[in-house]
Amino acid sequence: MKILVTGGAGYIGSHACKALARAGFTPVTLDNLSTGWKDAVKFGPLVEGDLSRRADIDRAFAEHDPKAVLHFAAVSRVDEAMRDPALYWRNNVLGSLNLVEAALAHGCRDIVFSSTCATYGDQDNVLLDETTPQRPINAYGASKAAIEIMLRDFEAAHGLRHVIFRYFNVAGADPDAEIGEFHRPETHLIPIVLDAVAGKREAITVFGTDYPTPDGTCIRDYVHVSDLIDAHILGLRWLLDGKPSRDFNLGTGDGFSVREVIDAARRVTNRDVPTNIGERRAGDAVKLVSGSSRAREELGWAATRSTMPKMIEDAWRWHQVADYRQ
Ligand code: UDP
């Protein structure tokens, strides 16, 4: 059975393709290669195309007749969203609208959607679960929250069924180091810390040390990319089994501050992490930690690899061989 994977050339999408292939599906990647890498598409065909062009999406459906969609393709940087909200509304929201209209036109009615804990915004020391009101504080979170609403409308009107996953911070890499996280430019904490460890950049700059947290730095809930993708395979099967649309937070419930991540990297790599202290980054929430057990209870999800040492160890192994080229 073929599954359309938008953003299959990216960090998370490429891990999904590997897991789909292992589970007996054929992943068909639809990707514009703006932030993804051709070299990461190793587990099924690539359709080069852009969600802003309906004809590109129609071509992927016509050529491959996928039975369901895993929708990862998106722009996803808070700093960029603060500077250029139009990019987020256009690319994420209009792209998703084109995608769901094309899926319906081709008789495909099951979609697994990558959403984010950024849809919850900044809520004082609340552990976030699926009943927490969504109050995004940046255009990235807002664009994903809008798509969630759109999916509900399309279900009511057209029977398009969805599983929504709200990711906390995704980290780590394929334990075989076949694929991993590689952004140009890199903006995410753990790869930047490892760049500093490896001497590929002078230092990691901590964005703000005056937050109302025990050590003054922001707190995030990190999930291993392989665990995150396990949930997607379970979510896909959930839809293929005819179960009702559902939303799930994907986090472990453990929060790590920026300083704690840096300390863990020091221990795992056994090397120094050159560190500078900088200003707060606009759009950052103080603390984003999942308080939900719904994915465990209803999907049977177990985040077995999501300890900080394991995530850094796998990211570090990949980091030493990463060399995607277009
Ligand atoms: N961060 C930092 N320095 C960096 C990159 C990130 O201090 O060079 C902090 C950032 O402010 C946030 C946390 O690390 O508190 C995680 O940021 P990342 O960009 O990895 O993910 P986000 O939480 O924005 O999705």
Side-chain angles (χ1 to χ4, degrees), residues 1-31 40-45 68-73 112-114 165 167 170 172-175 178-181 224-237 250 324:
M1 184 189 289
K2 289 186 176 178
I3 306 296
L4 187 66
V5 182
T6 73
Y11 167 41
I12 303 172
S14 61
H15 287 78
C17 289
K18 180 166 182 173
L20 283 167
R22 279 208 173 153
F25 298 98
T26 300
V28 177
T29 291
L30 174 61
D31 202 297
V41 185
K42 306 176 190 230
F43 311 100
V69 180
L70 301 194
H71 179 28
F72 297 97
V112 177
F113 173 58
S114 305
F165 286 122
Y167 305 169
V170 188
D174 171 36
E178 202 178 1
I179 42 178
E181 184 166 15
H224 194 296
V225 64
S226 302
D227 285 340
L228 184 97
I229 293 307
D230 284 352
H232 287 64
I233 303 294
L234 294 167
L236 174 64
R237 293 198 195 282
L250 294 180
Y324 285 149

Side-chain angles (χ1 to χ4, degrees), residues 169 187-189 192 204-207 218 220 258 281 284:
N169 286 56
T187 63
H188 292 107
L189 178 61
I192 286 180
I204 154 88
T205 299
V206 177
F207 295 146
C218 290
R220 297 286 182 273
V258 174
R281 183 175 68 177
D284 271 345

Side-chain angles (χ1 to χ4, degrees), residues 189-210:
L189 178 61
I190 292 176
I192 286 180
V193 167
L194 295 179
D195 276 347
V197 167
K200 292 185 192 163
R201 67 170 66 216
E202 253 171 48
I204 154 88
T205 299
V206 177
F207 295 146
T209 53
D210 60 347

Side-chain angles (χ1 to χ4, degrees), residues 212-272:
T213 60
D215 68 15
T217 65
C218 290
I219 294 176
R220 297 286 182 273
D221 178 337
Y222 293 83
V223 188
H224 194 296
V225 64
S226 302
D227 285 340
L228 184 97
I229 293 307
D230 284 352
H232 287 64
I233 303 294
L234 294 167
L236 174 64
R237 293 198 195 282
W238 171 284
L239 288 175
L240 296 177
D241 288 347
K243 292 185 181 160
S245 294
R246 197 73 168 134
D247 55 321
F248 300 96
N249 285 358
L250 294 180
T252 65
D254 288 330
F256 290 86
S257 72
V258 174
R259 285 195 205 272
E260 286 172 330
V261 170
I262 293 171
D263 287 344
R266 195 172 286 126
R267 281 194 298 275
V268 169
T269 63
N270 206 17
R271 298 203 203 168
D272 186 33

